[in-house]
């Protein structure tokens, strides 16, 4: 069962829900079904705002802790 993250378009409440195929989801706050669905990606922490480039120029120092050349 996939875990989805939702933002309610009515009250902007954000929540996560386990949703099975075809199941209707509603906002726990205002019970609206006008929801925006986002994939919940545990592999990519939310604190990472900018993804590191896959290939950084070899003439520059390593681009960060996850640099492809480290
Ligand atoms: Zn709501």
């Amino acid at each position: 069962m996939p875990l989805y993250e939702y933002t309610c378009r009515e009250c902007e409440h954000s929540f996560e829900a386990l949703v099975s195929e075809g199941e209707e989801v509603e906002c726990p706050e205002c019970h609206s079904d006008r929801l925006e669905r986002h994939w919940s990606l545990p592999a990519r922490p939310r604190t990472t705002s900018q993804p590191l480039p896959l290939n950084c120029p070899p003439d520059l120092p390593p681009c960060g802790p996850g640099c492809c050349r480290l």
Side-chain angles (χ1 to χ4, degrees), residues 7-15 26-35:
T7 303
C8 177
R9 291 178 203 255
E10 296 290 340
C11 69
E12 298 188 347
H13 178 68
S14 292
F15 61 99
E26 65 176 26
C27 172
E29 293 292 314
C30 68
H31 302 286
S32 167
D33 59 0
R34 294 185 58 222
L35 303 173

Side-chain angles (χ1 to χ4, degrees), residues 7-61:
T7 303
C8 177
R9 291 178 203 255
E10 296 290 340
C11 69
E12 298 188 347
H13 178 68
S14 292
F15 61 99
E16 291 179 339
L18 284 167
V19 186
S20 49
E21 193 91 14
E23 185 180 338
E24 296 291 327
V25 184
E26 65 176 26
C27 172
E29 293 292 314
C30 68
H31 302 286
S32 167
D33 59 0
R34 294 185 58 222
L35 303 173
E36 190 168 341
R37 184 163 76 180
H38 315 278
W39 279 103
S40 211
L41 298 174
R44 190 176 292 183
R46 280 177 225 183
T47 50
T48 306
S49 54
Q50 292 281 332
L52 291 167
L54 288 176
N55 292 296
C56 53
D59 53 335
L60 293 177

